[in-house]
Amino acid sequence: MPSYKAPVEDFLFLFHELLEIDKRKEVPGFEELTPDMTQAILEGGAKFCEEVLQPLNQVGDEHGCTIENGVVRTPPGFKEAFQKYCEDGWNRLGAPAEAGGAGLPSVITFAFTEMGMSANQAFSMYPGLTTAAYSALWATGEPWMKEHVAKKMISGEWTGTMCLTEPHCGTDLKLMKTKAVEQEDGTYRITGTKIFISGGDHDMTDNIIHMVIAKIPDEDGKLANDLSTVNFFMVPKMLVDKETGEITGRNGVSCGSIEKKMGIKGNATAVLNFDEAVAYRLGGRPPEKKTDTGEKKKSKSAGMAGMFGMMNGARMGVGIQGIAIGEVAYQNGVTYANERLAGRSLTGAKNPDGPADPIMVFPDVRRLLISSRSFVEGARALAMYVSMLFSLQIFGKDEKEREEAADMAQLMTPIIKAFFTDKGFQAANDSMQVFGGHGYVRDHGMEQFVRDARINQVYEGANGIQALDLVGRKMTAKGGRATMTFFAKIEEFIKENEGDAEMKPFIEPLRAGYKRLGEAAGWLMENAQKNYDHAGAASYDMLNIFGTVALGWMWARMAKVALAKVKSGEGNQDFYKRKLTLARYWMEREMPMTSGWLERAKQGADGYMELDAASF
């Protein structure tokens, strides 16, 4: 049976030595984040994840979710674990204080998210999606929705979902067929089918609040192929009285089936049918504005802004799932590599009294493991940094800091979602490889990690779409302001530390990778406008360059902190020395990969596009 130990020491290092969150007293939610406070939260969360969630991970995979006579049941133990989860308050960490939550910032809540996802991804998706749903409802819903719906989601009485995908339509919202028809009382009636709805139906709570996107038909009842007709709605599984919050009956929402999936089997991935379901439009009716020609044009509603905010938060969460699965798979790979005896070290026996050496003595086994460890810890640092930006974009000390934080968070979101989940899957796969044939059978649980990790590259926008979003939107938004901010931060760090001989092993590779990133960005600026397919063809290579350099920046920053600690002799010296080894690995082995990706990106689209479809 696999095991899991939450990386509490690493989180504390990131919080208080790298990011120094305890010095951000001016930011609401940070005032009490002392090392003692954060350690207590992390250790409590770690205990829950290790002792309650992790033992149910294989149970969920073995039993899966079932549906009988329209009733969906979760695996044994899930309902009790969810009740305990809510009783202990882990579902309320980041919720507003006025709604009964702890009001803690994202940097804390996303740390707990990682621990939960490492312990049991399928289970942790239920409260994770509920958080995304109630956050959108709290931001865009009417007062009665906040009082009688959102608060019950925050308490854990009810859960929530995101209902976006349709059988024929994923990313391209213009193709949606689900329609919402306005009624005389101001409500809507939604009809259509949504698929791949994580946590779409289950037996853990009395009600599920669906956050649904649908089109409003025109006066003739037709659905236009136009994003301006797409709106955001709250659709409860069970109808709710506006005055009392009591459940009054069943809504027109039913579960058609539960998907039979490759992984995350403990999560009920549902097909939901909406049949004249009562729905409530979020964010109000968008105002009309006149164009220069006097034509009336609809503005984007506050509800749709809430929907995009919900999706961005979900993408951040999925990126953290990539870290989480890499962490737990790596941990089990290390345990096995230290226990499994096979052969002798290439430089002489390291276990002379035993029949063979542990396979940890072999460089290739170490290659598989150290690549995973270096990714996980570098990615965790970047994720926690961006989590802190989520707070600073609202509560930064001045407009410049708020603007910069918002720009950087937007820029990093597709990188975190796509680069992290690609590398997280690779880490799970590599850790399974350490087990040899034992990794391929179910006993050790490694093949489950690989299967569970695979979905992270697909949902909340497939990784190819994220790469295109990075190149086509995030890097160029507002005249490339976010990209220039990121570049300036790297340049500033290099300039500050290039004279330090001890930092040279980290600064010079960072400089080389940054130069290649700039060259790739310059190539795109010069060639994408000539042929947009060039941007599409280069986007994935650009994503990999960007992600590798971003983690390199984090590793260089962590190396600087670790060097100072080693020099002073303070703290856990083994911890800091390991940080330096992992930082050197990233610079020596991962950063050079940017050279190959740059050459690939500069080849343009011709090699991909010259074959006609019939020739594939």
Side-chain angles (χ1 to χ4, degrees):
M1 182 177 180
S3 61
Y4 171 64
K5 183 70 175 175
V8 171
E9 185 178 21
D10 201 37
F11 279 120
L12 291 172
F13 166 78
L14 296 175
F15 289 168
H16 301 293
E17 297 182 59
L18 182 70
L19 302 178
E20 298 182 316
I21 63 173
D22 45 307
K23 296 182 180 179
R24 290 278 187 175
K25 303 297 185 185
E26 78 283 0
V27 181
F30 283 63
E31 305 95 329
E32 298 181 1
L33 295 184
T34 63
D36 287 344
M37 176 71 162
T38 55
Q39 184 171 353
I41 295 170
L42 290 169
E43 288 180 348
K47 180 179 174 65
F48 182 86
C49 293
E50 294 163 5
E51 297 181 2
V52 179
L53 299 188
Q54 193 276 334
L56 291 174
N57 195 36
Q58 282 189 298
V59 173
D61 188 61
E62 291 287 344
H63 289 267
C65 296
T66 59
I67 181 170
E68 185 177 359
N69 297 323
V71 178
V72 176
R73 303 198 185 282
T74 50
F78 270 47
K79 184 173 183 177
E80 294 77 11
F82 185 78
Q83 290 171 346
K84 178 68 173 170
Y85 186 97
C86 298
E87 287 171 6
D88 290 357
W90 300 115
N91 59 320
R92 302 192 296 276
L93 285 180
E98 61 268 34
L104 292 171
S106 297
V107 71
I108 299 295
T109 60
F110 276 125
F112 180 75
T113 293
E114 186 200 311
M115 294 191 293
M117 293 295 176
S118 281
N120 192 328
Q121 179 172 324
F123 174 93
S124 296
M125 289 168 62
Y126 291 104
L129 287 162
T130 300
T131 297
Y134 79 60
S135 296
L137 193 59
W138 194 261
T140 62
E142 296 176 24
W144 74 268
M145 298 177 189
K146 296 180 182 181
E147 180 64 28
H148 296 310
V149 180
K151 284 187 177 180
K152 289 186 179 179
M153 298 167 74
I154 289 166
S155 71
E157 293 177 68
W158 298 347
T159 57
T161 73
M162 297 167 51
C163 297
L164 312 177
T165 305
E166 300 182 9
H168 54 280
C169 164
T171 304
D172 191 349
L173 302 184
K174 295 191 298 294
L175 300 179
M176 280 198 321
K177 295 179 180 178
T178 299
K179 66 178 181 179
V181 179
E182 189 170 9
Q183 308 297 300
E184 290 184 0
D185 62 359
T187 63
Y188 288 75
R189 294 294 182 273
I190 282 186
T191 302
T193 298
K194 298 290 185 177
I195 64 170
F196 305 152
I197 308 307
S198 300
D201 205 354
H202 55 76
D203 59 349
M204 297 194 298
T205 58
D206 294 332
N207 204 359
I208 302 172
I209 307 303
H210 304 295
M211 310 299 283
V212 183
I213 53 173
K215 283 183 176 180
I216 297 177
D218 61 21
E219 294 177 355
D220 297 325
K222 296 180 180 178
L223 297 179
N225 187 28
D226 186 350
L227 281 177
S228 69
T229 66
V230 178
N231 283 266
F232 194 34
F233 300 88
M234 180 192 82
V235 186
K237 173 184 174 179
M238 307 297 292
L239 294 169
V240 180
D241 186 281
K242 288 185 178 183
E243 300 298 326
T244 66
E246 294 179 355
I247 289 175
T248 60
R250 185 69 188 252
N251 201 0
V253 185
S254 61
C255 180
S257 64
I258 296 295
E259 301 290 358
K260 296 177 174 62
K261 310 187 297 291
M262 176 180 180
I264 56 167
K265 295 181 180 181
N267 194 274
T269 306
V271 175
L272 293 182
N273 298 316
F274 296 84
D275 184 14
E276 296 284 312
V278 176
Y280 302 89
R281 187 174 183 169
L282 297 171
R285 191 183 300 274
E288 289 186 339
K289 59 183 180 181
K290 290 186 177 180
T291 64
D292 294 338
T293 61
E295 179 186 2
K296 290 184 178 179
K297 185 178 181 181
K298 290 182 179 178
S299 303
K300 184 184 292 185
S301 73
M304 288 303 289
M307 185 273 288
F308 285 116
M310 178 178 72
M311 290 179 66
N312 280 335
R315 286 168 180 161
M316 179 74 175
V318 172
I320 288 174
Q321 288 175 12
I323 304 172
I325 208 80
E327 172 70 41
V328 68
Y330 161 84
Q331 287 186 19
N332 286 273
V334 168
T335 299
Y336 187 81
N338 281 317
E339 294 175 351
R340 175 71 169 179
L341 302 181
R344 290 296 187 188
S345 166
L346 302 175
T347 56
K350 300 298 187 291
N351 180 32
D353 297 330
D357 286 337
I359 62 173
M360 183 63 90
V361 302
F362 297 110
D364 195 61
V365 171
R366 288 172 171 249
R367 171 185 66 84
L368 295 170
L369 294 172
I370 198 170
S371 62
S372 299
R373 185 64 176 265
S374 187
F375 154 68
V376 163
E377 293 192 12
R380 181 179 294 128
L382 184 62
M384 293 302 99
Y385 169 72
V386 174
S387 298
M388 185 176 72
L389 295 181
F390 286 171
S391 295
L392 296 183
Q393 70 183 0
I394 302 171
F395 302 114
K397 61 179 179 289
D398 53 40
E399 184 177 351
K400 183 178 185 301
E401 183 176 56
R402 292 191 293 273
E403 178 184 275
E404 182 180 283
D407 285 348
M408 286 285 285
Q410 286 287 320
L411 178 67
M412 290 297 160
T413 295
I415 296 167
I416 287 175
K417 194 282 173 186
F419 186 70
F420 285 15
T421 57
D422 279 351
K423 296 288 283 184
F425 176 77
Q426 181 183 338
N429 208 34
D430 285 349
S431 296
M432 188 183 100
Q433 181 74 12
V434 171
F435 281 71
H438 291 286
Y440 198 68
V441 297
R442 305 195 69 170
D443 296 7
H444 290 281
M446 298 304 291
E447 54 85 36
Q448 182 191 343
F449 294 141
V450 175
R451 288 185 288 106
D452 286 353
R454 191 60 184 86
I455 187 58
N456 299 333
Q457 297 166 283
V458 176
Y459 58 15
E460 300 307 332
N463 285 359
I465 297 295
Q466 299 300 319
L468 200 57
D469 180 50
L470 172 67
V471 167
R473 293 177 182 166
K474 299 300 191 292
M475 288 180 64
T476 58
K478 300 172 184 175
R481 192 173 72 190
T483 305
M484 290 186 285
T485 297
F486 177 70
F487 285 3
K489 286 186 176 296
I490 295 211
E491 289 172 1
E492 181 183 11
F493 184 84
I494 291 173
K495 187 175 181 180
E496 286 177 354
N497 296 281
E498 60 188 354
D500 186 341
E502 290 184 310
M503 284 292 291
K504 187 175 181 180
F506 314 105
I507 293 299
E508 291 308 314
L510 178 61
R511 191 199 308 272
Y514 168 59
K515 182 180 178 182
R516 294 178 194 122
L517 176 60
E519 187 175 343
W523 186 91
L524 279 170
M525 288 180 62
E526 183 178 344
N527 292 277
Q529 292 297 324
K530 301 174 186 176
N531 180 351
Y532 289 145
D533 279 339
H534 287 325
S539 61
Y540 220 94
D541 297 310
M542 188 71 190
L543 173 80
N544 282 314
I545 298 171
F546 220 124
T548 302
V549 172
L551 263 63
W553 177 46
M554 286 292 112
W555 270 120
R557 291 179 60 183
M558 287 190 283
K560 184 175 181 178
V561 175
L563 280 169
K565 290 292 185 178
V566 170
K567 188 178 295 185
S568 70
E570 298 174 2
N572 183 345
Q573 290 295 294
D574 288 341
F575 177 88
Y576 297 118
K577 289 174 182 177
R578 186 179 70 245
K579 283 289 182 189
L580 292 171
T581 299
L582 294 172
R584 282 193 294 271
Y585 169 84
W586 192 264
M587 298 304 184
E588 294 169 359
R589 307 281 180 151
E590 299 292 338
M591 196 67 80
M593 301 294 287
T594 57
S595 179
W597 288 318
L598 172 61
E599 291 306 310
R600 286 165 54 100
K602 288 161 59 177
Q603 300 308 306
D606 293 346
Y608 293 146
M609 307 305 292
E610 64 183 14
L611 285 181
D612 59 52
S615 297
F616 273 84

